[in-house]
Structure formats: structure tokens, C-alpha cells
Amino acid sequence: MNLILNVVLIGFRINSPQCLCGKPEDTYHFFFVCKNYSIARNTLFDCLFILELVNTDLNLLLYGDVNLPLHINNKIFAAVHKFIDESCRFS
């Protein structure tokens, strides 16, 4: 998954690498930091907690984990997809 965020788009005539919250926007900021997505993020991490995935990092969210069963990776993918949809960031 390659998220096109403002930091990446600076070379494509986007005037600022800043998120709407005023901080530099990259994938880590989007998934873990930005206050604008806190409600969607809480839902995401609730889903991951149910799967007993408490040490979540960006790599797990973007790529899954080859050491986990396919059905768990599918649930991670679904939770991340739901987060992206609920964030309305790409709408």
C-alpha cells in the first residue's frame, strides 16, 4: 500500500507537506499521530487488540506479518481498510 500524502506530493506542486492539523503528514503521522483521525484510529486499534496484536507498528499495518496466519493478516488488512475509509482522508 503506497499512501500518497502531502510529504510525498511536495514534488507534484502541492504547496505544503503539512497535514490539516499543521504537522508534517506522512504515513506514520496518518496512522499513529494525527488528532483528526483519532476516532477512526481507536476503532483500528480496538480491532487489533481483539486480535491480540498489541505491538503494532507501521510495517504491520502496511504489509502484515509473514509469521501470522493468513486469516489474521486478512483481518489486519480489513481493519486498516476500514480506518482509511473512516478517516475520509482520500475522499
Short mmCIF file of all heavy atoms in Angstrom, two decimals, residues 1-5 8 27 62 90:
data_model
loop_
_atom_site.label_atom_id
_atom_site.label_comp_id
_atom_site.label_asym_id
_atom_site.label_seq_id
_atom_site.Cartn_x
_atom_site.Cartn_y
_atom_site.Cartn_z
N MET A 1 0.84 -1.16 0.00
CA MET A 1 0.00 0.00 0.00
C MET A 1 0.89 1.23 0.00
O MET A 1 1.76 1.37 0.84
CB MET A 1 -0.89 -0.01 1.25
CG MET A 1 -1.71 1.23 1.41
SD MET A 1 -2.66 1.21 2.92
CE MET A 1 -3.89 0.00 2.50
N ASN A 2 0.71 2.10 -0.94
CA ASN A 2 1.50 3.31 -1.05
C ASN A 2 0.58 4.50 -0.85
O ASN A 2 -0.15 4.87 -1.74
CB ASN A 2 2.20 3.38 -2.40
CG ASN A 2 3.12 4.56 -2.51
OD1 ASN A 2 3.45 5.18 -1.51
ND2 ASN A 2 3.52 4.89 -3.71
N LEU A 3 0.60 5.07 0.34
CA LEU A 3 -0.27 6.20 0.62
C LEU A 3 0.35 7.48 0.10
O LEU A 3 1.48 7.81 0.41
CB LEU A 3 -0.49 6.33 2.13
CG LEU A 3 -1.21 5.16 2.77
CD1 LEU A 3 -1.32 5.37 4.25
CD2 LEU A 3 -2.58 4.99 2.17
N ILE A 4 -0.39 8.17 -0.72
CA ILE A 4 0.08 9.43 -1.26
C ILE A 4 -0.32 10.53 -0.28
O ILE A 4 -1.47 10.91 -0.21
CB ILE A 4 -0.51 9.69 -2.65
CG1 ILE A 4 -0.08 8.58 -3.60
CG2 ILE A 4 -0.08 11.04 -3.17
CD1 ILE A 4 -0.72 8.64 -4.95
N LEU A 5 0.64 10.99 0.49
CA LEU A 5 0.40 12.00 1.49
C LEU A 5 1.14 13.27 1.10
O LEU A 5 1.96 13.29 0.20
CB LEU A 5 0.85 11.50 2.86
CG LEU A 5 0.16 10.20 3.29
CD1 LEU A 5 0.78 9.67 4.56
CD2 LEU A 5 -1.32 10.41 3.49
N VAL A 8 4.91 13.35 0.43
CA VAL A 8 5.28 12.73 -0.84
C VAL A 8 4.91 13.63 -2.01
O VAL A 8 5.65 13.74 -2.99
CB VAL A 8 4.59 11.36 -0.97
CG1 VAL A 8 4.87 10.74 -2.32
CG2 VAL A 8 5.02 10.43 0.14
N THR A 27 2.97 8.72 6.42
CA THR A 27 2.14 7.56 6.78
C THR A 27 2.12 7.33 8.29
O THR A 27 1.08 6.98 8.85
CB THR A 27 2.59 6.29 6.06
OG1 THR A 27 3.98 6.10 6.25
CG2 THR A 27 2.27 6.35 4.58
N LEU A 62 0.94 -1.84 7.11
CA LEU A 62 1.09 -1.74 5.65
C LEU A 62 1.31 -3.08 4.96
O LEU A 62 0.87 -3.26 3.83
CB LEU A 62 2.24 -0.80 5.30
CG LEU A 62 2.08 0.65 5.73
CD1 LEU A 62 3.31 1.45 5.33
CD2 LEU A 62 0.82 1.25 5.13
N PHE A 90 -8.86 10.36 1.93
CA PHE A 90 -8.66 10.25 0.48
C PHE A 90 -9.97 10.43 -0.28
O PHE A 90 -10.09 9.99 -1.40
CB PHE A 90 -7.99 8.93 0.14
CG PHE A 90 -6.66 8.79 0.83
CD1 PHE A 90 -6.54 8.06 2.01
CD2 PHE A 90 -5.54 9.42 0.33
CE1 PHE A 90 -5.33 7.97 2.66
CE2 PHE A 90 -4.32 9.33 0.97
CZ PHE A 90 -4.21 8.60 2.14
#
